[in-house]
Amino acid sequence: MHVVESADVPESPQRPEPAPGRTAQARTHLIADLAGLIRPSHAAKAILLVPVALIGAASYSLAEVAGIVAATVAFILASAAVYIGNDIADRHRDRHHPVKRHRPIAAGRVGVGTASVCCAVLLTLLGVIVARAPGTYWPLYVYLVLNIAYSRVLKHIPLVDVGTVAAGFVLRVVQGYEVTGGRVPAWLLITVFSMSLVLLIGKRRQELLRTGAVHRPALRGYSMELTNWLLQIASVLSLVSGLMYLRDEGPFGPQHGQTAMMLSTPFALFALFRYLQIQLVDQDGGDPVRILLRDRVMVANSMLWAATLGVTLVLVHHPSLAALVTL
């Protein structure tokens, strides 16, 4: 019997194993892409709006604070799941957008299956939080249903599209008051809704300038002239309602509300002027979150405004300090 030596058997070609450095780099890129799916910077929407219910409260318990934290996290998870769902649904259309085509799903860096698993994990975590007090999370349920309707139908209807997204901001505020059991100020809801419209209309305006209606069919119902008029109307409404909230329903009380309104007027006007300058002069504003968080002029104005109202609020609730200041 002839025995074949091992040297006589031709070796099957083997694929070169990926270098450890490349594997680690690919894993890092995947983690970064998964983080990009959930839009971490957009968590500011919930972080800023849900805890509004605690501002100016005479006293609140540890349970209420914990409830606000849980509600904030719940809205962050819900928003992240919505973003992923929208990116999956819009991946083909996003590939024609100059900016959105670089998103992980549209660019093909994250598969639909992986994104779906990530979305399922987020919804599972959301279910764990909501299960602790399901009756108080009706604004979040409405938010999810509204976003499903938005993704399927409403985002294609001009004017209704921006109103639907703006309603999501209002629901965040309502969720905070639902947790604390406080009365929801009507002027505050009008302010949040109209200010959201300002940012959303500005975003639509920039989309008209850059891509037209190719990416977003609802843009066929907009024009530059219409968006300019809508910006003016929404800006005036947000300014007036915000000042009325500070005067009549804010945390400063009936005696000092007018003072808070007067102190806020120059800051509020400047914030609107700066945003309109960015829109109409710089032709920017496609990403409202980036403008609000990274524009140095806007951030400086917001910090000075917050400091002014913060000091006023402390003096209102601690009259003894106010007496020392006047000495």
Side-chain angles (χ1 to χ4, degrees), residues 21 34 51 56 105 121 125 135 167 207 222 263 274 279 282 287 291 304 327:
L34 291 177
I105 298 176
V121 171
L125 294 174
E207 290 173 341
Y222 293 92
L263 291 174
R274 174 58 179 165
Q279 276 286 334
D282 300 337
D287 186 352
I291 289 175
L304 288 173
L327 291 178

Side-chain angles (χ1 to χ4, degrees), residues 6 18 24 51 98 153 239 263 278 299 326:
S6 59
V153 178
L239 176 65
L263 291 174
I278 293 172
V299 170
T326 56

Side-chain angles (χ1 to χ4, degrees), residues 220-301:
R220 296 189 182 96
Y222 293 92
S223 67
M224 295 301 295
E225 183 180 6
L226 176 62
T227 56
N228 289 341
W229 275 102
L230 294 178
L231 276 176
Q232 294 179 52
I233 295 170
S235 296
V236 171
L237 178 59
S238 64
L239 176 65
V240 173
S241 59
L243 295 178
M244 294 298 290
Y245 161 70
L246 290 174
R247 192 191 72 173
D248 298 337
E249 300 176 321
F252 301 93
Q255 295 181 342
H256 305 282
Q258 188 168 0
T259 301
M261 179 187 69
M262 294 177 63
L263 291 174
S264 295
T265 298
F267 295 107
L269 279 172
F270 185 82
L272 283 173
F273 290 170
R274 174 58 179 165
Y275 181 73
L276 293 176
Q277 182 186 49
I278 293 172
Q279 276 286 334
L280 304 176
V281 179
D282 300 337
Q283 300 296 335
D284 198 359
D287 186 352
V289 174
R290 181 180 60 81
I291 289 175
L292 295 178
L293 297 182
R294 297 183 184 180
D295 181 73
R296 295 181 179 180
V297 177
M298 191 75 78
V299 170
N301 180 68

Side-chain angles (χ1 to χ4, degrees), residues 113-126:
T114 303
S116 300
V117 171
C118 185
C119 184
V121 171
L122 293 173
L123 291 176
T124 301
L125 294 174
L126 176 62

Side-chain angles (χ1 to χ4, degrees), residues 43-176:
K45 299 173 184 177
I47 294 173
L48 293 175
L49 293 177
V50 177
V52 166
L54 293 177
I55 297 178
S59 62
Y60 38 82
S61 64
L62 184 60
E64 288 177 335
V65 175
I68 287 291
V69 172
T72 303
V73 174
F75 252 103
I76 292 174
L77 293 173
S79 300
V82 165
Y83 294 143
I84 295 176
N86 284 336
D87 282 356
I88 293 174
D90 296 340
R91 64 189 184 279
H92 300 298
R93 190 178 291 112
D94 286 347
R95 287 169 186 152
H96 300 287
H97 191 276
V99 176
K100 295 181 180 181
R101 66 183 180 183
H102 299 296
R103 288 179 175 176
I105 298 176
R109 297 192 305 272
V110 175
V112 173
T114 303
S116 300
V117 171
C118 185
C119 184
V121 171
L122 293 173
L123 291 176
T124 301
L125 294 174
L126 176 62
V128 172
I129 295 176
V130 170
R132 300 180 61 183
T136 61
Y137 281 95
W138 67 263
L140 188 139
Y141 307 149
V142 175
Y143 172 83
L144 290 174
V145 172
L146 197 62
N147 273 277
I148 292 173
Y150 175 82
S151 181
R152 292 181 176 272
V153 178
L154 300 181
K155 69 179 179 181
H156 302 304
I157 305 176
L159 301 181
V160 174
D161 61 331
V162 292
T164 303
V165 179
F169 289 86
V170 173
L171 289 169
R172 289 174 171 88
V173 177
V174 174
Q175 181 66 74

